Structure formats: structure tokens, C-alpha cells
Amino acid sequence: MLDENFDVVVIGAGPAGSRTAALTARAGLSTLLLEKRKKIGFPVRCAEGIGPREDVERFLDLDDSLISSTINGFAVVSPGGRWFEAEKRGVGFIVDRQLFDQRLVDLAVEAGAEIRTSHQVTGLLRNDHRFKGVKVTDLDSGRKYTAGAIVTAGADGVESISPRWAGLKGAYKPREVMSCAQYLVNGIDSVESRIEFHLGRHFAPGGYAWVFPKGPGSANVGLGLNPMLAGGLKAVDYLERFIGSRCPGAERGRLVVGGSVVARGLRSLATGGFMAVGEAANQNNPFSGGGIINALEGADLAAETIIEAIGDGDVSARSLGRYTKRWKKSTGRANEIFWQAARSFYSMSDDEMEKVISRLKDTPGLITETGVDPLKMLRVLASTRPGLLFRLVTALVKR
């Protein structure tokens, strides 16, 4: 017999999980939100870049206290030091991720969801052909219990295991998880409204380094790299090298390390009684690694499907599969393009990257109100790797 029963159980109180819980609770469904960490949004394992603001405000009203700085442009620096700069007012902002995540949880609680921190999901419950809840351990008391659910949503982030339990995906391949490290740096000379991306195997093999301004003289300075190309060094070793070049003498503050998924989107995001949301569902942008807005959009589509399915009394794989179709019609298709672009771009030699950067300035319409146009970026990459367009078309037809 189950210890407790809910309409919806959500695993993980990051942006995807909290948003899903808020919407299902607002629709009148009893909702339990479980988070294994004691403190919401901590430790911060994110470069904290997001935007543009109007995109975020489709999902929640932004208080200025959540914003560290506004981004009005960006620079891409080639391996040889060539700068490509673009201005676009309001293209994004740097968020205080801990406050941002807490705000999303507060909205879920205000809507009627129950939040439990330090409660780790250790398995899924299954009966017949669908999943019916979770096994949980209270990490503070050690108590183990079960929580039944008509639908369980796995939003357990980059370390997600719930979609594996549900059979939606296997373990990541080594090349699909970037190793990341970041310092909060003080005393750096940077443009407060501009983010920087630095390319090249000297600083970030198979990835890139970044400078995201947090305020006057302060910035998140970090990088993500492919561990298979790192020559036995750690991400933090490359980060020290980058800081020594970009801002020597700057004061290093908080260090965060972690991973970012650069895997292809899942073929299916749902099965009977279970669905995956956010980075657990590979919904983050596989080119940049960014995922907050994608997570919020995925949560909206997931919650919409959950509410419909429970209302219809049908939470079968076929019924919940509407979520997969909705995602692929929205951001999922763009993510497929970004994934193909990432595979090509981050495997390029430094000389090839130099050619790409030199061609960016000659690509009209590359920068849009919401960032980089994926198709135009693909054309730039294809000018260096002609077979890329053929692979993309083939992949889209097959999926």
C-alpha cells in the first residue's frame, strides 16, 4: 500500500520542475515537488545567462532584484584573437540563479503545490504498463516512503536518472556531457552589458570559455570542454589558464563545477504515467548549453498534456505522447539543428574556427531579437564543412 497519493509528483525543483508543479497545482491537481538538495538553487551550477526578458516574462513576472545585469550585445573571440562583435539591445540578461529558482518554487507553492527539500527519489513505482509514483528517502531523517502519482514528471536535471528508470534514454556517452568550471571573478575589465565567448583548443577543447558580467568589475568567468579532448587535464585547469590570459590578477571568488548535456533530443519524452522535462529530457540548447527558457517552455507543454490526460482519464504512453509532438513542433526542431551544428563546430580545428568567425560578419540577419538564427549559423558552418547540410536534412527526415 502506498504511503501517500497525489495526482502529480515532480522530481526536481529547478526551473522545469517548479514550473510544471505550479501549472498542475494551479489546475487543481494535487502536486508534490521533491528536491534532493536542502536549499533551493544552491549550489549554483550555471553561468546565469538568460534572455531576452520578454521571453522569460511569458512564464513569470521578473522582479529587478532577480537580475544582475542586462545584456545588449556579445563578442565571439576566435582562437587567433579575432573578435566578432554584435550589438542587440535587450538580447538577454544575467540572472541571480538562486533567487530565480526560489521565485519559481514560491510560485508553485502559491499555486498549491507541496515542496519537500532534502527528499531524494530513489526509484519509480510501476504497475502493469505504466508508472504510478516514486520511492523517496528523506535525507534528514532517513525515513523511506512511497508517493503514488497518476503522472510523474522527471525534471532532475543534468544528473537525471528518472528518464533512464522509465526507459526513455540510456546513459550519456562521454562526448555528450561537457565538463564545466566557473569562478565568480572580481576586478575584471569587461563591458558590463556584453557577454564574451572565447573559442579554441588552448582554452576550451571541444567547447568554449565565457565572460558573463554580473556588475561593475564582476563577472562569471568559466568554460565548458569535451573531457575526451582535454589531454588528461580538468576543466578547472583550463579555467586557470584562461583567467591567466583574460584577466590576470583578478580576484577569484566562488568556484562551481559541474556538467552540461550536449546530447541529441529524445525520440520520446513520455511513456505510460511518466514524462521527462527540462535538461532531464535533453531540452537544453545543445549548441550553447543554455536551457532555462527551454526548460520553462518544456514545462508548459508537459503540464498542458498532464492536465488534459488526467482530465480524460487516460495517462497511457499514447496519450502523454502528445507532449513529445508539441515539443518537436516548437523548440525541438530548432534544437535538432543546433545539435547538428554543435557536432560540427566543436569538432573543428582552430584553423577551421578562424574561417567561421571571419565569415560571421558577412552573414546578414545572423543575430535576431532572440539571439542567433540557427539556420543562418548552419549555413556559415556548412561553408566550412559542406557535408553538414546533407547530414541535417537526412536527420530531420528520419526523425
Side-chain angles (χ1 to χ4, degrees):
M1 181 178 293
L2 295 170
D3 297 307
E4 301 177 78
N5 280 288
F6 297 87
D7 294 322
V8 180
V9 169
V10 181
I11 307 168
S18 296
R19 176 67 177 174
T20 301
L23 294 176
T24 56
R26 191 180 302 164
L29 301 177
S30 59
T31 302
L32 174 64
L33 178 59
L34 297 167
E35 171 56 51
K36 68 179 180 182
R37 295 184 178 87
K38 181 179 289 290
K39 194 171 184 179
I40 298 297
F42 183 84
V44 174
R45 289 169 27 175
C46 174
E48 301 183 296
I50 188 175
R53 183 164 182 161
E54 56 266 26
D55 271 9
V56 182
E57 290 189 329
R58 290 188 289 133
F59 307 100
L60 75 159
D61 293 328
L62 280 174
D63 188 309
D64 286 343
S65 66
L66 303 179
I67 299 173
S68 300
S69 61
T70 300
I71 303 304
N72 294 318
F74 66 88
V76 179
V77 186
S78 75
R82 183 196 303 268
W83 284 64
F84 167 75
E85 299 177 73
E87 293 186 11
K88 184 68 69 171
R89 293 195 62 81
V91 73
F93 57 94
I94 307 301
V95 70
D96 185 313
R97 182 61 190 272
Q98 188 172 347
L99 294 179
F100 185 81
D101 283 16
Q102 184 61 59
R103 177 58 179 151
L104 287 168
V105 167
D106 291 344
L107 290 172
V109 172
E110 291 170 12
E114 179 180 347
I115 173 69
R116 296 179 188 173
T117 57
S118 294
H119 283 242
Q120 183 168 12
V121 174
T122 58
L124 299 178
L125 301 173
R126 185 168 187 167
N127 185 11
D128 297 327
H129 299 293
R130 75 173 181 88
F131 294 94
K132 295 191 175 182
V134 295
K135 302 174 185 176
V136 189
T137 297
D138 181 337
L139 298 179
D140 290 333
S141 68
R143 181 176 72 92
K144 301 179 186 297
Y145 65 95
T146 57
I150 301 175
V151 176
T152 301
D156 35 346
V158 66
E159 299 165 345
S160 63
I161 195 168
S162 65
R164 299 186 201 176
W165 292 333
L168 294 179
K169 69 179 181 183
Y172 291 121
K173 299 174 183 177
R175 67 174 183 272
E176 293 179 330
V177 180
M178 304 289 281
S179 180
C180 304
Q182 174 181 274
Y183 277 114
L184 175 59
V185 169
N186 293 308
I188 182 174
D189 179 19
S190 63
V191 178
E192 288 183 34
S193 63
R194 184 185 70 190
I195 56 178
E196 301 173 18
F197 301 95
H198 294 254
L199 305 170
R201 299 205 172 193
H202 180 67
F203 291 136
Y208 63 88
W210 61 79
V211 177
F212 284 10
K214 291 274 287 182
S218 176
N220 285 333
V221 180
L223 56 80
L225 55 80
N226 183 338
M228 299 178 69
L229 301 176
L233 297 178
K234 298 178 181 178
V236 71
D237 298 324
Y238 279 92
L239 179 56
E240 290 290 350
R241 178 186 295 176
F242 176 63
I243 289 177
S245 173
R246 174 61 183 81
C247 46
E251 177 187 348
R252 294 158 176 77
R254 178 188 66 201
L255 171 67
V256 294
V257 296
S260 177
V261 175
V262 289
R264 194 175 195 177
L266 301 181
R267 285 186 174 275
S268 176
L269 301 176
T271 186
F274 179 90
M275 56 175 54
V277 193
E279 197 160 16
N282 297 359
Q283 288 178 329
N284 58 302
N285 184 313
F287 191 89
S288 69
I292 296 177
I293 292 179
N294 286 13
L296 295 173
E297 181 174 358
D300 275 26
L301 298 175
E304 176 187 9
T305 307
I306 290 171
I307 293 164
E308 290 175 354
I310 291 180
D312 293 339
D314 180 6
V315 295
S316 64
R318 182 174 182 177
S319 177
L320 295 183
R322 288 175 289 183
Y323 164 49
T324 303
K325 294 178 181 178
R326 288 165 175 166
W327 171 254
K328 290 186 176 182
K329 285 181 179 179
S330 59
T331 304
R333 191 169 184 84
N335 266 9
E336 178 68 20
I337 296 173
F338 280 125
W339 180 76
Q340 294 286 352
R343 288 181 69 203
S344 178
F345 185 65
Y346 294 120
S347 66
M348 285 183 173
S349 67
D350 284 358
D351 287 343
E352 287 177 308
M353 283 190 174
E354 286 290 343
K355 293 178 182 178
V356 169
I357 301 305
S358 70
R359 289 166 180 162
L360 291 180
K361 294 182 180 180
D362 301 322
T363 307
L366 177 67
I367 311 304
T368 70
E369 295 299 325
T370 58
V372 177
D373 184 308
L375 287 175
K376 285 188 169 60
M377 172 58 81
L378 199 68
R379 291 192 189 105
V380 173
L381 296 178
S383 68
T384 303
R385 294 258 180 109
L388 179 58
L389 285 177
F390 174 77
R391 291 204 307 271
L392 175 63
V393 172
T394 302
L396 289 175
V397 169
K398 287 183 178 180
R399 292 175 75 86

